[in-house]
């Protein structure tokens, strides 16, 4: 074999090796999604549409359920998931704790899907009467901001109540035992407590909070795989658009997944909002206000800049919004 022939053979072998390596790496990629017991991700998971779409890119999909947003974003922070959904407040606490996250998209406001609950026989009739009372909530969750705003609206300070920080299951148990005077919670836990415990809504988010649902990604994953994230956002949007006009079918599909009755599930489905959009300046400003509020309360250790952690979507996806 001549020198030129040998050189061409080695170049071809090297190119083939690189190509094979690239294909193998792409096929080995996995998108790890964290989800909760609400919202379009539950439906997207059950439909299998995302798996079908990403299979063409050699990407597998793994799903992990979390009890609440703070726990989900802790998973994102430690690298166990790449993408997830939470309410407004968890990403603020996560960013303050150093999580390398990006806001990717959001759902329209749904202020009725979270509320301050009272036991059915509670004598309390106003938020002002929560002074010196014990209130259960998941620290750093979306309802944390609802509680702060409701107290402020009633002329109370956060220091006027005793927060009892518990995840939803433990908070419900404390609520049923009478260990706390009130419980701040979101759907479907809210709908379940209303129907199963005859819990009474003292104040929901109407006129107080937006209660946006956010989709967030680990920055390294989003920057390395923008097309995967774009495809995911498109599938979430499609799922939401279908859900908005198919409440009966959605309820039938979701109720068994949640282990809840059709009546409870339907209430949660109807109070949720649908139609994922890329992050807007108005939403950034609203999140900045939430971050500033928790910084002022010394519940997070530093001031944040929300605009610094917004995903820059591929132009094709941004133009489609």
């Amino acid at each position: 074999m001549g020198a030129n022939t040998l050189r061409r053979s080695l170049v071809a072998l090297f190119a083939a090796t690189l190509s094979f390596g690239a294909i193998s790496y792409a096929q080995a990629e996995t998108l790890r999604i964290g989800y909760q017991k609400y919202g379009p991700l539950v439906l997207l998971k059950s439909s299998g549409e995302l798996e079908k779409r990403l299979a063409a890119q050699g990407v597998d999909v793994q799903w992990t359920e979390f009890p609440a947003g703070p726990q989900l974003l802790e998973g994102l922070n430690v690298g166990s998931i790449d993408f997830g959904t939470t309410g407004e407040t968890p990403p603020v606490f996560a960013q303050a704790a150093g999580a390398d996250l990006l806001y990717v998209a959001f759902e329209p406001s749904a202020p009725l899907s979270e509320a301050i609950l009272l036991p059915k026989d509670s004598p309390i009739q106003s938020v002002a009467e929560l002074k010196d009372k014990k209130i259960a909530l998941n620290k750093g969750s979306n309802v944390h901001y609802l509680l702060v705003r409701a107290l402020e609206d009633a002329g109370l300070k956060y220091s006027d109540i005793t927060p009892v920080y518990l995840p939803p299951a433990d908070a419900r148990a404390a609520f049923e035992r009478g260990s706390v005077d009130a419980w701040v919670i979101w759907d479907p836990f809210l709908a379940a407590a209303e129907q199963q415990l005859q819990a009474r809504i003292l104040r929901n988010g109407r006129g107080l909070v937006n209660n946006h649902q956010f989709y967030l990604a680990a920055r390294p994953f989003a920057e390395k795989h923008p097309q995967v994230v774009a495809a995911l956002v498109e599938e979430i949007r499609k799922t939401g658009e279908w859900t908005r006009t198919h409440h009966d079918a959605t309820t039938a599909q979701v109720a068994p997944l949640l282990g809840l009755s059709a009546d409870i599930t339907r209430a949660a489905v109807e109070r949720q909002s649908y139609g994922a959009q890329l992050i807007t300046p108005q939403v950034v400003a609203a999140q900045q206000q939430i971050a500033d509020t928790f910084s002022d309360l010394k519940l997070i250790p530093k001031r944040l800049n929300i605009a610094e952690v917004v995903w820059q979507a591929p132009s094709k996806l941004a133009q489609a919004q």
Side-chain angles (χ1 to χ4, degrees):
M1 180 181 293
N4 289 338
T5 301
L6 177 61
R7 185 181 301 109
R8 285 195 298 270
S9 297
L10 289 173
V11 169
L13 178 61
F14 182 66
T17 301
L18 283 179
S19 176
F20 177 78
I23 293 172
S24 298
Y25 183 78
Q27 290 175 338
E29 286 294 343
T30 300
L31 169 62
R32 301 165 301 167
I33 302 175
Y35 70 102
Q36 300 179 55
K37 286 186 181 297
Y38 70 96
L41 284 187
V42 173
L43 289 165
L44 185 59
K45 177 179 182 293
S46 65
S47 74
E49 291 300 317
L50 181 64
E51 284 82 351
K52 294 176 186 177
R53 179 166 179 173
L54 292 183
Q57 299 183 39
V59 178
D60 295 326
V61 181
Q62 292 180 358
W63 299 84
T64 302
E65 183 179 330
F66 290 85
Q71 292 88 334
L72 186 152
L73 289 183
E74 177 60 24
L76 187 143
N77 189 30
V78 301
S80 62
I81 59 171
D82 307 303
F83 186 92
T85 181
T86 77
E88 296 168 322
T89 304
V92 168
F93 277 71
Q95 183 185 354
D100 196 12
L101 57 79
L102 291 174
Y103 288 83
V104 171
F106 74 101
E107 300 283 358
S109 62
L112 304 185
S113 66
E114 60 177 359
I116 302 172
L117 285 180
L118 299 172
K120 62 180 179 179
D121 56 355
S122 172
I124 295 173
Q125 297 296 322
S126 69
V127 175
E129 295 174 61
L130 293 177
K131 183 178 174 62
D132 299 324
K133 298 295 191 294
K134 294 181 179 179
I135 303 175
L137 71 151
N138 197 93
K139 184 177 183 180
S141 67
N142 58 331
V143 298
H144 204 153
Y145 187 60
L146 169 62
L147 177 59
V148 170
R149 286 287 295 112
L151 293 172
E152 180 183 77
D153 187 63
L156 296 179
K157 299 177 181 178
Y158 192 70
S159 58
D160 287 329
I161 58 99
T162 300
V164 180
Y165 297 128
L166 296 169
D170 294 336
R172 171 161 170 157
F175 184 76
E176 288 190 71
R177 289 195 307 268
S179 301
V180 295
D181 301 289
W183 177 26
V184 200
I185 191 59
W186 60 89
D187 277 326
F189 305 104
L190 168 60
E194 285 183 278
Q195 297 191 30
Q196 295 171 343
L197 307 178
Q198 291 74 55
R200 177 164 57 88
I201 290 180
L202 177 64
R203 185 72 191 269
N204 59 33
R206 190 195 298 275
L208 291 176
V209 297
N210 291 314
N211 192 31
H212 288 303
Q213 180 181 339
F214 284 104
Y215 299 100
L216 302 118
R219 184 192 295 269
F221 186 92
E223 292 182 345
K224 185 177 182 181
H225 306 288
Q227 298 306 322
V228 172
V229 176
L232 176 50
V233 172
E234 288 180 350
E235 291 303 318
I236 291 170
R237 184 180 294 162
K238 290 178 186 177
T239 299
E241 289 171 353
W242 180 87
T243 303
R244 188 189 296 118
T245 56
H246 294 81
H247 283 182
D248 288 341
T250 298
T251 298
Q253 187 176 353
V254 172
L257 301 176
L258 301 183
L260 296 171
S261 72
D263 289 343
I264 292 173
T265 304
R266 174 83 188 209
V269 166
E270 291 180 344
R271 288 192 291 224
Q272 185 59 48
S273 61
Y274 306 95
Q277 305 170 46
L278 296 179
I279 305 300
T280 65
Q282 293 79 11
V283 168
V284 170
Q287 279 298 103
Q288 188 64 56
Q289 182 178 353
I290 294 173
D292 292 345
T293 296
F294 283 108
S295 175
D296 291 342
L297 289 171
K298 308 301 182 185
L299 290 173
I300 59 173
K302 60 184 179 180
R303 307 289 286 189
L304 302 178
N305 186 336
I306 301 299
E308 292 179 345
V309 292
V310 175
W311 183 56
Q312 299 302 308
S315 58
K316 182 178 178 180
L317 180 62
Q319 291 168 3
Q321 176 164 304

